[in-house]
């Protein structure tokens, strides 16, 4: 029947969020495709990020990269997340050098709040593990050492530092 298009779009957006959270990725993608207009300003950036995340979670990194790179003006609040996902997508597409540059930029951001500090740590862990997977442990260690010791990514970073040390035959350092 007759419905308010803005209400319709918001409903599809929130349904897409729920489906994504539950792991129903094709359903989330379909719900996002049913949004016909712009969402309110506070939701539109999240829509772009959710679209890219749904694609990434399906292993469709080239498509996610297209979505992220076509995003004209992410707000200051979302630019770090967009860059992080661009970096991860590039690494997953085998463009380690290009992805590393983007992740390194995010990994050196000055954290303004706990969320941005966690994003910085997450980027440094992703960068470190990208270098480890590329068999470049010397490059991995500095980014892993930038991760805060009291944060949600500290254990993974410490494990990565140990692997980096082991790969460079620093077994004492790896044990520490």
């Amino acid at each position: 029947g007759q419905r308010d298009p803005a209400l319709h779009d918001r409903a599809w957006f929130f349904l897409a969020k729920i489906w994504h959270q539950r792991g129903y990725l094709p359903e989330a993608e379909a719900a996002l495709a049913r949004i016909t207009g712009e969402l309110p300003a506070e939701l539109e950036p999240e829509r772009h990020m959710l679209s890219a995340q749904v694609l990434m979670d399906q292993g469709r990194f080239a498509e996610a990269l297209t979505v992220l790179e076509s995003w004209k003006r992410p707000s200051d609040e979302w630019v770090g997340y967009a860059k992080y996902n661009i970096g991860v997508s590039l690494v997953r597409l085998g463009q380690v050098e290009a992805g590393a540059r983007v992740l390194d930029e995010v990994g050196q951001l000055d954290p303004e709040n706990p969320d941005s500090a966690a994003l910085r740590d997450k980027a440094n862990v992703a960068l470190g593990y990208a270098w480890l997977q590329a068999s470049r442990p010397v490059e991995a260690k500095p980014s892993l050492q930038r991760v805060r010791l009291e944060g949600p990514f500290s254990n993974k970073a410490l494990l990565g530092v140990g692997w980096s040390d082991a790969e460079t035959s620093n077994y004492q350092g790896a044990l520490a």
Side-chain angles (χ1 to χ4, degrees):
Q2 292 187 350
R3 60 184 173 242
D4 176 15
L7 179 63
H8 169 267
D9 288 346
R10 282 196 317 273
W12 281 114
F13 169 74
F14 286 111
L15 188 56
K17 272 183 74 166
I18 291 167
W19 275 337
H20 176 255
Q21 290 169 349
R22 294 189 177 180
Y24 297 114
L25 302 176
E27 291 84 354
E29 185 177 5
L32 287 166
R34 299 211 44 188
I35 298 171
T36 57
E38 288 240 347
L39 293 173
E42 69 274 6
L43 297 179
E44 190 62 29
E46 191 175 358
R47 170 188 169 190
H48 284 281
M49 193 58 62
L50 181 60
S51 295
Q53 193 63 54
V54 166
L55 293 168
M56 290 174 70
D57 290 347
Q58 294 179 77
R60 296 164 49 195
F61 296 100
E63 292 171 69
L65 192 56
T66 300
V67 168
L68 291 164
E69 289 178 336
S70 69
W71 190 1
K72 297 295 181 218
R73 284 178 292 243
S75 65
D76 289 343
E77 177 185 349
W78 289 94
V79 72
Y81 296 102
K83 285 183 178 184
Y84 170 81
N85 283 335
I86 288 170
V88 168
S89 293
L90 287 167
V91 167
R92 294 293 183 104
L93 290 169
Q95 300 175 34
V96 178
E97 295 284 339
R101 281 191 297 277
V102 176
L103 288 171
D104 190 50
E105 183 182 334
V106 177
Q108 294 191 49
L109 290 175
D110 187 24
E112 302 164 3
N113 56 50
D115 287 341
S116 61
L119 178 64
R120 176 186 164 157
D121 288 348
K122 189 174 182 180
N124 281 312
V125 168
L127 176 57
Y129 276 80
W131 285 133
L132 287 171
Q133 289 172 348
S135 299
R136 294 172 63 178
V138 173
E139 287 94 336
K141 195 171 179 178
S143 60
L144 292 166
Q145 288 177 322
R146 286 194 299 244
V147 176
R148 296 171 296 151
L149 288 176
E150 294 182 20
F153 301 99
S154 60
N155 287 342
K156 194 167 186 178
L158 289 169
L159 179 63
V161 169
W163 284 343
S164 175
D165 284 338
E167 289 292 319
T168 57
S169 300
N170 178 3
Y171 301 113
Q172 279 302 109
L175 288 173

